[in-house]
Amino acid sequence: MTTPARPAAPALRRVVRWNIAAVAALHVAALALFLGGHLLGTAGLAMIAFAYSRGLLHALDADHLAMIDGSTRKLLGEQRNPAGVGLAFSLGHSTVVLAAGVAVVLGAAWVREAIDPDTQLATVLGSIGAGVSAAYLLAVAAANTPLLVAAVRGADAVGHTHALAPTGWWGRLLMTPLSRVRHAGHVYAFGLLFGLGFDTASTISLLMLTASASLAGVPPVALLCLPLAFAAAMTLGDSINAHVMLRVYTAAETPSRRRLNIALLIVSITSAVLVAGATLTGLVGAWTGIAVPEFDTTWFGWGLAALAALGALWLGWLRFLARRAGPHPPLKR
């Protein structure tokens, strides 16, 4: 079995530069509005710090991590460049947050309905976001399962060929949403749809904070620094997560790293299915009114982030040991 081919260095560097530029632009825009609105007092600093922290925590949500991880592995399996998956997804999600923030500043009544779980608008938007989220995660799990089977059998798991694709009606059904996802930029639309639910506690907290600040007399333009700070932090977190997973999945081939690759594939598929199942369970309960078990995926998201960090540290340690040992003959195939 071989590890997924790493994207060409020039293309990877170019995408990384775009990632850094986009994240930096969001930070600069938020800072400019913050300073321009003269919010340097204790209350202003507390508000933007809270919004920024909410964005970082939102990037650690289980659905973000599962989606970015699964999409990265899926594109690598098709020998496509997944660099920028985290940025594209986060920008799509940020579009909803920024639009909602602007609507709050303008006093649009629909935002209050969108964040009130008892309204029809909130139910419809939440159903769209949850449905797309669950369908996409299940599709990613279906796309990555044949790669895991091939990897465990010791076969070449680089090419996501027709022979490795899911077969049967269920495979075709689950793979349909992914048929047009050919590069990282296509993930933007899914990030946009993911964010339609307005049901994430961090997003609601930010909108409520923005509304409260508006009532306190903060200049409308300055208020936009809050959703921008949220988006900047979320984009930073999602981009780092995507880059870490890309580095882990494209590590040079050694027995230890191949075992790590298989382990991460198992975690990726399992997490996608579990998060999708929790999402669908909540959706069924919302539409039927039946009491269903509630699954708190907060700690699950933190666990996924911890596993990604441990994987990166493990690879760094292996690389350090390899450099100390000096050159060695290539592995036999």
Side-chain angles (χ1 to χ4, degrees), residues 60 65-66 69 240-241 244-249 259-272 274 298-316:
L60 291 175
L65 293 166
D69 176 31
I240 291 175
N241 174 48
V244 169
M245 295 314 303
L246 177 60
R247 293 293 298 271
V248 169
Y249 277 130
R259 288 193 293 269
L260 176 61
N261 186 40
I262 292 175
L264 288 174
L265 263 173
I266 294 173
V267 172
S268 176
I269 294 168
T270 303
S271 61
L274 289 177
T298 301
W299 290 106
F300 189 64
W302 282 91
L304 290 177
L307 284 175
L310 289 175
L313 291 174
W314 175 247
L315 288 176

Side-chain angles (χ1 to χ4, degrees), residues 155-240:
D156 184 2
V158 173
H160 193 278
T161 60
H162 176 71
L164 289 177
T167 58
W169 67 269
W170 69 271
R172 290 190 296 271
L173 177 64
L174 289 176
M175 291 303 294
T176 298
L178 298 185
S179 61
R180 298 187 180 276
V181 180
R182 299 186 180 92
H183 61 75
H186 290 157
V187 179
Y188 172 86
F190 291 97
L192 182 69
L193 293 172
F194 268 47
L196 289 180
F198 291 95
D199 57 348
T200 304
S202 53
T203 305
I204 294 175
S205 299
L206 173 66
L207 295 178
M208 296 299 290
L209 174 64
T210 305
S212 299
S214 179
L215 294 174
V218 176
V221 175
L223 279 176
L224 294 180
C225 74
L226 298 177
L228 273 173
F230 180 94
M234 179 174 61
T235 304
L236 175 63
D238 284 343
S239 297
I240 291 175

Side-chain angles (χ1 to χ4, degrees), residues 11-327:
L12 181 59
R13 285 195 297 268
R14 184 171 61 252
V15 175
V16 169
R17 285 195 295 267
W18 277 107
N19 271 252
I20 295 174
V23 173
L26 285 172
H27 281 77
V28 170
L31 181 61
L33 289 176
F34 177 72
L35 296 176
H38 304 289
L39 300 177
L40 296 177
T42 303
L45 289 172
M47 286 192 297
I48 197 167
F50 178 79
Y52 195 84
S53 66
R54 292 296 93 187
L56 288 176
L57 290 174
H58 196 48
L60 291 175
D61 281 358
D63 58 346
H64 279 237
L65 293 166
M67 190 275 173
I68 292 171
D69 176 31
S71 298
T72 298
R73 193 59 182 82
K74 181 259 181 189
L75 289 174
L76 280 174
E78 295 176 342
Q79 295 183 309
R80 303 182 191 275
N81 187 356
V85 163
L87 176 65
F89 176 78
S90 194
L91 287 178
H93 218 57
S94 297
T95 300
V96 178
V97 174
L98 293 173
V102 171
V104 169
V105 170
L106 295 177
W110 65 265
V111 178
R112 181 172 298 179
E113 293 185 27
I115 64 176
D116 184 352
D118 296 327
T119 64
Q120 183 177 4
L121 178 60
T123 302
V124 172
L125 291 177
S127 298
I128 295 173
V132 171
S133 171
Y136 189 90
L137 289 175
L138 288 175
V140 166
N144 288 335
T145 298
L147 299 178
L148 173 62
V149 173
V152 172
R153 292 176 177 175
D156 184 2
V158 173
H160 193 278
T161 60
H162 176 71
L164 289 177
T167 58
W169 67 269
W170 69 271
R172 290 190 296 271
L173 177 64
L174 289 176
M175 291 303 294
T176 298
L178 298 185
S179 61
R180 298 187 180 276
V181 180
R182 299 186 180 92
H183 61 75
H186 290 157
V187 179
Y188 172 86
F190 291 97
L192 182 69
L193 293 172
F194 268 47
L196 289 180
F198 291 95
D199 57 348
T200 304
S202 53
T203 305
I204 294 175
S205 299
L206 173 66
L207 295 178
M208 296 299 290
L209 174 64
T210 305
S212 299
S214 179
L215 294 174
V218 176
V221 175
L223 279 176
L224 294 180
C225 74
L226 298 177
L228 273 173
F230 180 94
M234 179 174 61
T235 304
L236 175 63
D238 284 343
S239 297
I240 291 175
N241 174 48
H243 185 70
V244 169
M245 295 314 303
L246 177 60
R247 293 293 298 271
V248 169
Y249 277 130
T250 56
E253 182 179 7
T254 67
S256 296
R257 294 175 185 180
R258 290 201 304 273
R259 288 193 293 269
L260 176 61
N261 186 40
I262 292 175
L264 288 174
L265 263 173
I266 294 173
V267 172
S268 176
I269 294 168
T270 303
S271 61
V273 172
L274 289 177
V275 173
T279 303
L280 289 175
T281 300
L283 188 59
V284 169
W287 276 102
T288 63
I290 300 174
V292 296
E294 294 186 5
F295 301 97
D296 185 2
T297 57
T298 301
W299 290 106
F300 189 64
W302 282 91
L304 290 177
L307 284 175
L310 289 175
L313 291 174
W314 175 247
L315 288 176
W317 175 249
L318 291 178
R319 186 172 298 173
F320 171 75
L321 294 179
R323 288 177 178 175
R324 289 191 60 182

